[in-house]
Amino acid sequence: MDCLFCRIIAGEIPCTKVYEDDAVFAFRDINPQAPVHVLILPKKHMANILECDGETMKALLSAIQTIAKQEGVSEDGFRIVSNCGRNGAQSVNHLHIHLMGGRQLADSMA
Ligand code: AMP
C-alpha cells in the first residue's frame, strides 16, 4: 500500500513535525489555511473516521489538547475538521484531523 501519510510517518517524505507519541503523529499542513494548520493522525493506517476505534480516538483527543496548547491557540480558540470520503472532500486516505487557528475563522464550514 502506498500511503503518503504512512510514508511521512516513516520519515521517507519530509515534514515539519510538531508532535509525536506512541500512537499519534502531527505535522504542519503543506498548504496552510490558517496561521496554525496542523494535521494530527494515527500512526496506524486507517482510511478515515469510519475505521477509527475508541482507543485511537482517545489518543487523538489527547494529542489535540496538547497541540492546541503547544501552538498557542487554546485560549483564543481553534477549529478541528476531519474530511471523510468523496463528498467530504478527503484527498489523503489516511485518517487525519485538521487543527486550524491563529486568526478569526470564517463562520461558514462548507
Ligand atoms: P484532506 O483534503 O482533508 O484529505 O487533507 C489533506 C491535507 O494534506 C491537505 O490540507 C494538504 O494540504 C495536506 N498535504 C498533502 N500533502 C502534504 C505533505 N506532503 N505535507 C503536509 N501536508 C500535506
Side-chain angles (χ1 to χ4, degrees):
M1 183 172 48
D2 193 25
C3 169
L4 172 64
F5 286 176
C6 282
R7 293 186 67 195
I8 288 177
I9 292 165
E12 294 168 17
I13 294 173
C15 74
T16 305
K17 183 169 86 173
V18 300
Y19 176 87
E20 181 175 12
D21 64 30
D22 287 349
V24 177
F25 197 86
F27 53 91
R28 298 202 188 284
D29 197 293
I30 205 167
N31 183 25
Q33 305 297 308
V36 173
H37 188 167
V38 175
L39 302 176
I40 304 166
L41 43 143
K43 286 183 172 173
K44 183 179 162 197
H45 182 88
M46 50 192 80
N48 57 44
I49 201 89
L50 292 172
E51 295 185 2
C52 191
D53 58 273
E55 191 182 344
T56 301
M57 189 51 84
K58 191 173 169 188
L60 289 168
L61 172 61
S62 175
I64 288 165
Q65 293 168 342
T66 299
I67 293 164
K69 288 181 196 139
Q70 188 179 297
E71 294 291 317
V73 297
S74 59
E75 291 215 358
D76 287 342
F78 58 93
R79 179 172 293 158
I80 56 170
V81 172
S82 188
N83 296 325
C84 181
R86 189 179 63 247
N87 277 3
Q90 182 178 6
S91 64
V92 179
N93 290 324
H94 182 131
L95 171 62
H96 52 282
I97 296 171
H98 297 256
L99 186 156
M100 291 164 286
R103 65 164 166 80
Q104 178 65 57
L105 299 175
D107 286 344
S108 164
M109 280 201 287

